[in-house]
Amino acid sequence: MALLDYDMSNLRSAGKALERLGARVQVCRDPGAARGSDAVLLPGVGRFGAAMERLDERGFTAMLREVAASGTPVLGICLGMQLLFDQSEESPGARGLGLIPGHVERLRTSAKVPHIGWSEVHWREGAALAPASGGPAERTYYFVHSYSCIPDDPADVIGTSEHGVGFTAAVARGGACGVQFHPEKSSAAGLALLDRWLAGVQSGQMVAS
Amino acid sequence: MIRVIPCLDVDRGRVVKGVNFVDIRDAGDPVELAARYDAEGADELVFLDITATHEERDTIIHLVERTAEEVFIPFTIGGGLRTEEDIRAVLAAGADKVSLNSAAVRDPDLVERAAMRFGDQCIVVAIDAKRRDDGSGWEVYLAGGRRETGIEAVAWAAEAARRGAGELLVTSMDRDGTQVGFDTDLLAAIAAAAPVPVIASGGAGTLAHFGEAVTRGHADAVLAASVFHDGVYTVGEVKAAMARDGVPVRR
């Protein structure tokens, strides 16, 4: 399991959550270390443009496109999810990873932005990462964001949530998945989600089809 | 959903004020307590570092590292953070947010610099306020309510948000420790003046108070210390009461 370190995130939490679940996590500061791993975790906090600059500088951008094309599962968390897309209103002109066609725009809501707090996710039945059972608490996660993802293909949306307005909470296309919330900060529900992802990686179900 | 946030006072790496959980091994260990609150349904935690001497402040970094390894809900560190470097150190150690109080009042630019560097979402500005006798709003106090600043709290809240505070932690010094309820007038005035989430603090005594902070005070989160630590209510009981009052909570 490669965890990309590009100086833009609180890596400790995501790494510790995965380790708690039994994963072997390698924190990677260069693309060579990440190539050949079973899966890649792309965390992220901060601004879209600044994050892409760091990914570009470190050679992670090309590596991510390459491993995703070869079917290696990639999970983007929060800003990491947004980076999977082509572009963001937050940083006009900055080119995203383009693993999922679409764009990112500011939450257009009458509610307070940033959206900080816990919200329930409505999962598409049977989707990758969706919990098989459980009540609302098992589907409620911690969000911190001002922007949200708009995939070109609605079929890529696997979970939605609301903050005064509906928004994309989780996406999957081939082996690339993204969640707008922070599973590593979402208590038991978040750890369960990471566990499902790890199980999917191990069983090959998260591989691009 | 409205967040319920226990606050733990920490002195030299140990929780002060006893906690009456029956099955806890070490009631002074912040990490064990934090994990316990997580299991009880706390949505977030705030650690308020009240360590007086600067030399012993490294203990908070160690606490942050241990918490980040074992607790999987967001947590904020407040108390004694004065510089960008102080902020960087606790965020790098694994804290999700920092809470700035006196340092923000003394140097409002610090809020701006920290928000630019670390992101608005991790900068909480804490405001301790007391109602002015002449009715001209609320006075901002420092040093745990001992020192007046001449600054009006609602105006300061608006300015802090403008400068990049991602959230405001608003404590009524009139109500703190009284258990007569949150100052919902203060909360509502700040919620109307600042377009960022407001965390209500100070005065929680009954279960009904928590819902009132939201229905009357328009708070986005409620924080309490003693009602949880003294075992008066569990987080679950508070959430059940809020839900009965029509306030959406994670349960």
Side-chain angles (χ1 to χ4, degrees), chain B residues 31-56:
Chain B
V31 179
E32 192 170 346
L33 278 174
R36 174 61 192 249
Y37 279 126
D38 174 3
E40 265 200 357
D43 296 310
E44 258 183 74
L45 295 166
V46 171
F47 292 101
L48 188 60
D49 184 21
I50 58 170
T51 308
T53 55
H54 208 76
E55 298 73 58
E56 288 178 299

Side-chain angles (χ1 to χ4, degrees), chain A residues 61-131:
Chain A
T61 303
M63 179 277 290
L64 280 163
R65 289 183 182 137
E66 191 183 303
V67 300
S70 70
T72 301
V74 175
L75 176 64
I77 292 176
C78 195
L79 177 67
M81 170 197 191
Q82 298 175 8
L83 298 175
L84 302 176
F85 287 79
D86 298 317
Q87 56 190 312
S88 172
E89 190 182 347
E90 185 177 26
S91 307
R95 188 166 167 231
L97 293 168
L99 303 186
I100 299 181
H103 66 284
V104 182
E105 61 180 42
R106 194 165 169 86
L107 280 170
R108 287 170 175 65
T109 173
S110 56
K112 291 177 184 178
V113 174
H115 169 214
I116 300 180
W118 297 74
S119 296
E120 187 177 346
V121 169
H122 308 286
W123 293 97
R124 199 173 72 206
E125 197 79 23
L129 301 181

Side-chain angles (χ1 to χ4, degrees), chain A residues 29-80:
Chain A
R29 295 184 64 84
D30 63 79
R35 280 197 183 90
S37 60
D38 294 339
V40 179
L41 190 74
L42 177 64
V45 167
R47 295 182 201 284
F48 186 95
M52 283 310 306
E53 273 174 35
R54 296 285 174 83
L55 287 177
D56 291 349
E57 276 165 25
R58 295 229 163 143
F60 282 144
T61 303
M63 179 277 290
L64 280 163
R65 289 183 182 137
E66 191 183 303
V67 300
S70 70
T72 301
V74 175
L75 176 64
I77 292 176
C78 195
L79 177 67

Side-chain angles (χ1 to χ4, degrees), chain A:
Chain A
M1 188 68 45
L3 176 60
L4 302 193
D5 179 2
Y6 58 110
D7 290 337
M8 286 293 287
S9 36
N10 173 357
L11 286 169
R12 189 180 291 266
S13 308
K16 293 298 169 189
L18 287 170
E19 283 175 359
R20 166 70 64 97
L21 298 167
R24 264 192 52 238
V25 177
Q26 191 187 6
V27 176
C28 300
R29 295 184 64 84
D30 63 79
R35 280 197 183 90
S37 60
D38 294 339
V40 179
L41 190 74
L42 177 64
V45 167
R47 295 182 201 284
F48 186 95
M52 283 310 306
E53 273 174 35
R54 296 285 174 83
L55 287 177
D56 291 349
E57 276 165 25
R58 295 229 163 143
F60 282 144
T61 303
M63 179 277 290
L64 280 163
R65 289 183 182 137
E66 191 183 303
V67 300
S70 70
T72 301
V74 175
L75 176 64
I77 292 176
C78 195
L79 177 67
M81 170 197 191
Q82 298 175 8
L83 298 175
L84 302 176
F85 287 79
D86 298 317
Q87 56 190 312
S88 172
E89 190 182 347
E90 185 177 26
S91 307
R95 188 166 167 231
L97 293 168
L99 303 186
I100 299 181
H103 66 284
V104 182
E105 61 180 42
R106 194 165 169 86
L107 280 170
R108 287 170 175 65
T109 173
S110 56
K112 291 177 184 178
V113 174
H115 169 214
I116 300 180
W118 297 74
S119 296
E120 187 177 346
V121 169
H122 308 286
W123 293 97
R124 199 173 72 206
E125 197 79 23
L129 301 181
S133 59
E138 280 75 48
R139 297 154 187 267
T140 300
Y141 310 91
Y142 184 76
F143 290 82
V144 181
H145 64 124
S146 299
Y147 292 81
S148 68
C149 302
I150 322 269
D152 289 345
D153 184 352
D156 293 344
V157 177
I158 59 168
T160 60
S161 190
E162 286 97 42
H163 181 60
V165 64
F167 66 88
T168 308
V171 290
R173 184 180 179 90
C177 292
V179 289
Q180 186 58 68
F181 51 85
H182 286 274
E184 78 283 13
K185 289 291 168 185
S186 297
S187 196
L191 293 178
L193 178 128
L194 290 173
D195 206 28
R196 288 194 296 277
W197 183 65
L198 288 172
V201 168
Q202 272 154 16
S203 68
Q205 283 164 8
M206 301 308 296
V207 173
S209 49

Side-chain angles (χ1 to χ4, degrees), chain B residues 128-132 137-141 148-153:
Chain B
D128 294 344
K130 206 182 270 190
R131 196 183 283 268
R132 285 174 172 168
W138 288 264
E139 176 77 17
V140 175
Y141 274 74
E148 289 182 39
T149 58
I151 298 167
E152 203 286 312

